[in-house]
Amino acid sequence: MTDAQKNFFEGMTEEQKDFFAAVLEELSRAEEKHKGWPEDAVHAASILNEEAGKLTQACNDYKFCNSTANAPYDRMNKKAVSTAAMALRLWHGMGTY
């Protein structure tokens, strides 16, 4: 790990560290469940956009459902993590597109 990377992580809050840990966990889970990944940027971006769409729907539910339960917030949080994981997956493949 470079000094810049160490400084980046050292400057994070615990909440930010938890988010990145959740993203990396989701990335591992997704790579295990869906071993194949598109070999072109258009299809890879489509997967990312699908996740982003689910995040947008979760945000709409959180904003407009007027629910007192934590379910809409938890779903929004989960979809934010999934979207970030797919962005990483797309980024990892960029050298091969």
Side-chain angles (χ1 to χ4, degrees):
M1 185 178 293
T2 67
D3 286 341
Q5 290 169 325
K6 288 177 187 174
N7 290 337
F8 176 76
F9 288 113
E10 288 174 3
M12 283 186 182
T13 65
E14 288 304 313
E15 185 177 51
Q16 291 167 327
K17 289 176 186 176
D18 289 346
F19 172 77
F20 282 106
V23 169
L24 293 175
E25 185 177 313
E26 174 62 18
L27 178 62
S28 292
R29 187 199 68 73
E31 288 175 336
E32 180 63 30
K33 183 175 181 181
H34 305 286
K35 297 201 185 290
W37 183 253
E39 295 179 3
D40 65 280
V42 172
H43 288 94
S46 295
I47 293 170
L48 173 59
N49 283 314
E50 179 183 0
E51 289 302 319
K54 291 176 184 178
L55 172 59
T56 301
Q57 182 62 55
C59 291
N60 283 331
D61 292 346
Y62 179 73
K63 173 74 175 167
F64 299 111
C65 283
N66 299 321
S67 175
T68 57
N70 283 337
Y73 179 84
D74 292 343
R75 185 166 160 261
M76 185 173 59
N77 186 52
K78 181 179 180 195
K79 295 305 175 186
V81 167
S82 295
T83 302
M86 291 307 100
L88 264 177
R89 203 163 182 193
L90 181 141
W91 180 78
H92 283 161
M94 286 178 67
T96 63
Y97 301 145

